[in-house]
Amino acid sequence: MVPQRSFTVSVIEVVRETADTHSIVLVPAAADAHLFDFEPGQFLTLQVPSEQAGGAARPYALSGSGPVGEPMRVTVRRKRGGYASNWICDHLRVGDQIDVLPPEGTFGPTAVEDRDLLLVAEEIGVASVMSLLAARLRAGRRRVTLLYVHAGASVLFGEELAALERRYDGRLDVLHLSDPGPLATDAEVIRARLAGAPGPDVVVCGPPALLDVATRAAADAGVPAARLWAQSRA
Ligand SMILES: Cc1cc2nc3c(=O)[nH]c(=O)nc-3n(C[C@H](O)[C@H](O)[C@H](O)COP(=O)(O)OP(=O)(O)OC[C@H]3O[C@@H](n4cnc5c(N)ncnc54)[C@H](O)[C@@H]3O)c2cc1C
């Protein structure tokens, strides 16, 4: 396999979203712009500098909820003892440059289907579903529900989601579930939502335990495997 080539992009904005989470907005050089068109659900691999040979390459979901053509945004939560996530949050500033691989991967429905969309995300997992949520709101006509499991105090994208709920009056429903909360409750809520919206696409991103209950609840509700996408984020 031919190794992918990396490109240098510039940091044009850094947002401290919560105490331990930063969003970084990146733009490529004009000559490389055509390589950085991205699809909802894709990720960018940041090549974090390091004294170790080869640096530290880590994938981060493209988390933007804006219109097509907006600059790329990734949202990074510090991992305790982690190398790259802490380096990004500690070091990247507006005007800096960093090497990245062009957007890649597929996660979630690739086309905007005429179907409801149910997203289930826990904590940083929400970064991986934001672009799918926004794309379906922009281009679709059906309802989007986000079951968002989080610890509560400072909610990642809380204001952004509230603004989207107002903007797409009645089509976006964000339901906040507490973490740590009983997984049985999460499963019950997921089942209730699925019962109320037959035939949705279902996308899940979170720790393995949530993936387990959500995918089981979806299967029990008759969601076919082809309409179910799940990605683990510990
Ligand atoms: C598809 C996908 C999308 C993702 N999206 C997101 C997202 O949107 N947001 C998010 O926060 N996370 C996301 N992640 C997780 C993210 O990629 C990282 O795994 C996470 O940030 C933890 O990385 P870390 O380097 O901080 O931690 P670790 O990878 O746990 O860091 C420890 C590792 O770093 C190595 N290390 C230690 N020191 C050095 C050094 N000096 N140089 C080089 N290596 C060193 C150690 O050997 C050890 O293996 C995603 C993961 C995937 C697979």
Side-chain angles (χ1 to χ4, degrees):
M1 212 166 77
V2 184
Q4 278 180 288
R5 196 196 134 190
S6 63
F7 296 81
T8 302
V9 298
S10 302
V11 176
I12 59 163
E13 195 181 352
V14 176
V15 180
R16 189 171 186 265
E17 304 276 6
T18 70
D20 63 354
T21 311
H22 288 62
S23 283
I24 316 287
V25 182
L26 301 160
V27 288
D32 304 327
H34 62 290
L35 299 167
F36 285 87
D37 290 338
F38 59 92
E39 301 290 331
Q42 289 201 300
F43 64 84
L44 207 59
T45 300
L46 271 62
Q47 300 194 317
V48 172
S50 152
E51 76 292 351
Q52 291 185 12
R58 300 284 187 275
Y60 292 98
L62 286 155
S63 64
S65 67
V68 175
E70 69 168 354
M72 299 178 290
R73 179 178 79 176
V74 292
T75 303
V76 180
R77 173 153 295 182
R78 290 180 188 274
K79 179 178 170 186
R80 194 185 299 245
Y83 174 71
S85 59
N86 287 293
W87 187 94
I88 291 167
C89 292
D90 288 337
H91 290 93
L92 276 187
R93 299 286 176 263
V94 172
D96 288 349
Q97 295 192 313
I98 186 162
D99 289 345
V100 305
L101 297 178
E104 58 188 314
T106 52
F107 181 46
T110 47
V112 172
E113 307 278 1
D114 191 21
R115 230 183 237 112
D116 285 357
L117 175 63
L118 175 66
L119 304 158
V120 183
E122 180 165 334
E123 299 289 356
I124 191 64
V126 76
S128 293
V129 303
M130 283 300 279
S131 62
L132 296 166
L133 175 151
R136 188 63 67 96
L137 287 173
R138 266 195 314 271
R141 292 177 296 129
R142 304 289 291 264
R143 291 178 60 81
V144 177
T145 302
L146 170 63
L147 302 185
Y148 185 6
V149 185
H150 58 75
S154 166
V155 183
L156 176 60
F157 299 144
E159 283 177 20
E160 195 168 323
L161 286 165
L164 286 167
E165 271 184 303
R166 285 192 298 274
R167 177 163 172 200
Y168 292 96
D169 187 27
R171 282 189 53 220
L172 173 63
D173 191 8
V174 181
L175 206 72
H176 297 269
L177 298 170
S178 68
D179 176 34
L183 281 168
T185 308
D186 298 346
E188 225 168 80
V189 175
I190 294 165
R191 275 198 203 94
R193 287 286 157 156
L194 286 168
D201 289 331
V202 179
V203 177
V204 190
C205 190
L210 180 70
L211 254 53
D212 205 42
V213 296
T215 54
R216 206 157 340 126
D220 290 350
V223 175
R227 305 248 63 86
L228 175 62
W229 293 265
Q231 201 172 79
S232 176
R233 196 75 68 248

